[in-house]
């Protein structure tokens, strides 16, 4: 299995001074095909919601991943789904403790605007990663989460969210006591504080549909942020 490491050289470092290589600290399969990867944090600061670009073993295989750890955590963590015929995620899944991982960053503008205001987060799949970082960075944040997954096994990090503000939605199996359907089916029946900011992350079609719902409710564009991870269902 190829590893995602490339040796440093001086010209590369001058061209891109923010390139890092860190040892993997832990790799966990949270559910079939859903992984949490933890690696050493270099001396950089980031804002919750930022992503890093992880290098693949070949050109064209680099992909962005949101940092799921908190701003003050001593390590970096990402959450990813293995795409068996994908370019990078099979390489990530082959990493073991002590293996090197190369990345650059941090980048992004999917930031919490004001931790003193409520935040409503709507995520599909691994799009929950920035919400986890928000919760870890600001434990007192009034954070609401609608998390859409296909199967119950894919619900993760529930412990980061207050039960009364946590709304899991499962689309491909019926689980007693849990909502059956997509986040877009669940959202219309819920109400949120008037001064909340909205964060939409994951599948692009969900972001488009949710943006339309929010506009119908009169939410200003400036209070809606979207981060599309993928463009398919
Ligand atoms: C700003 C940003 C942040 C991101 N953060 C995360 C993150 O935190 N966690 C995360 O898991 N992903 C994240 N992504 C997506 C990630 O960058 C990769 O696209 C994803 O991991 C697939 O990479 P791959 O190289 O294995 O597959 P690719 O080689 O890119 O894809 C191979 C094929 O699989 C399809 N495919 C890819 N992903 C899926 C999927 N989930 N379901 C079904 N088919 C798929 C593609 O359409 C393509 O046809 C983010 C994307 C963006 C733009």
């Amino acid at each position: 299995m190829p590893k995602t490491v490339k040796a440093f050289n001086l010209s590369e470092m001058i061209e891109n001074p923010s390139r890092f290589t860190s040892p993997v600290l832990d790799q966990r399969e949270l559910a079939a095909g859903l992984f949490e990867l933890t690696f050493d944090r270099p001396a950089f600061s980031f804002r919750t919601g930022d992503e890093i670009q992880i290098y693949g073993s070949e050109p064209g295989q680099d992909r962005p991943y949101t940092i799921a750890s908190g701003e003050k955590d001593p390590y970096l963590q990402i959450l990813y789904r293995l795409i068996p015929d994908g370019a990078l995620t099979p390489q990530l899944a082959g990493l073991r403790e002590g293996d090197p991982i190369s990345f650059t960053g941090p980048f992004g503008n999917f930031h919490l605007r004001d931790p003193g205001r409520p935040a409503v987060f709507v995520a599909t799949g691994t799009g929950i990663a920035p919400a986890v970082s928000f919760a870890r960075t600001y434990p007192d944040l009034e954070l609401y989460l609608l998390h859409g997954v296909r199967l119950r096994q894919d619900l993760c990090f529930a412990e980061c969210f207050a039960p009364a503000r946590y709304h899991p939605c499962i689309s491909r199996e019926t689980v007693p006591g849990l909502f059956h359907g997509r986040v877009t089916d669940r959202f219309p029946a819920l109400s949120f504080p008037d001064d909340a900011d909205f964060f939409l992350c994951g599948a692009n079609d969900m972001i488009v549909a949710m943006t339309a719902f929010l506009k119908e409710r009169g939410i200003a564009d400036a209070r809606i942020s979207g981060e599309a991870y993928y463009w398919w269902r």
Side-chain angles (χ1 to χ4, degrees):
M1 185 72 68
K3 304 294 185 195
T4 57
V5 67
K6 289 178 185 173
F8 277 139
N9 69 50
L10 189 58
S11 59
E12 235 176 19
M13 287 179 75
I14 291 167
E15 216 177 282
N16 183 357
S18 67
R19 184 175 171 141
F20 303 99
T21 297
S22 287
V24 167
L25 301 176
D26 194 27
Q27 166 98 270
R28 279 180 204 201
E29 190 165 12
L30 303 177
L34 181 66
F35 292 82
E36 175 192 81
L37 184 66
T38 309
F39 42 101
D40 211 23
R41 177 175 179 165
F44 76 1
S45 60
F46 70 92
R47 282 182 68 187
T48 184
D50 275 343
E51 71 245 16
I52 53 173
Q53 180 90 354
I54 298 182
Y55 290 99
S57 57
E58 304 292 334
Q61 297 181 338
D62 312 337
R63 303 279 185 268
Y65 293 88
T66 304
I67 300 169
S69 39
E71 285 179 7
K72 298 244 159 54
D73 289 338
Y75 50 80
L76 293 178
Q77 196 169 68
I78 62 161
L79 180 69
Y80 69 93
R81 171 155 299 285
L82 171 64
I83 308 299
D85 59 350
L88 186 64
T89 52
Q91 296 177 42
L92 296 181
L95 292 172
R96 296 290 171 265
E97 188 181 337
D99 286 343
I101 180 168
S102 279
F103 54 94
T104 186
F107 309 107
N109 51 21
F110 195 62
H111 295 145
L112 201 52
R113 279 178 225 108
D114 179 354
R117 272 209 308 267
V120 178
F121 207 103
V122 185
T124 52
T126 53
I128 192 180
V132 174
S133 180
F134 286 7
R136 288 171 163 170
T137 302
Y138 295 103
D140 297 329
L141 176 67
E142 187 178 338
L143 179 59
Y144 299 78
L145 174 69
L146 272 88
H147 189 199
V149 295
R150 292 176 181 177
L151 303 174
R152 181 189 195 158
Q153 63 150 29
D154 297 325
L155 289 175
C156 52
F157 297 108
E159 71 284 359
C160 293
F161 304 93
R165 299 184 193 136
Y166 175 64
H167 304 286
C169 305
I170 302 174
S171 61
R172 301 242 173 125
E173 66 179 346
T174 305
V175 179
L178 295 179
F179 182 81
H180 177 68
R182 294 171 181 264
V183 290
T184 43
D185 303 321
R186 181 84 177 102
F187 181 80
L190 298 173
S191 55
F192 299 102
D194 288 342
D195 57 342
D197 292 318
F198 290 83
F199 298 87
L200 316 174
C201 188
N204 189 58
D205 58 352
M206 177 278 285
I207 293 173
V208 170
M210 280 299 309
T211 302
F213 279 142
L214 293 172
K215 290 193 170 191
E216 270 171 31
R217 283 197 186 184
I219 309 292
D221 284 348
R223 286 172 45 209
I224 307 172
S225 302
E227 181 100 287
Y229 280 7
Y230 33 88
W231 278 259
W232 52 87
R233 282 169 182 269

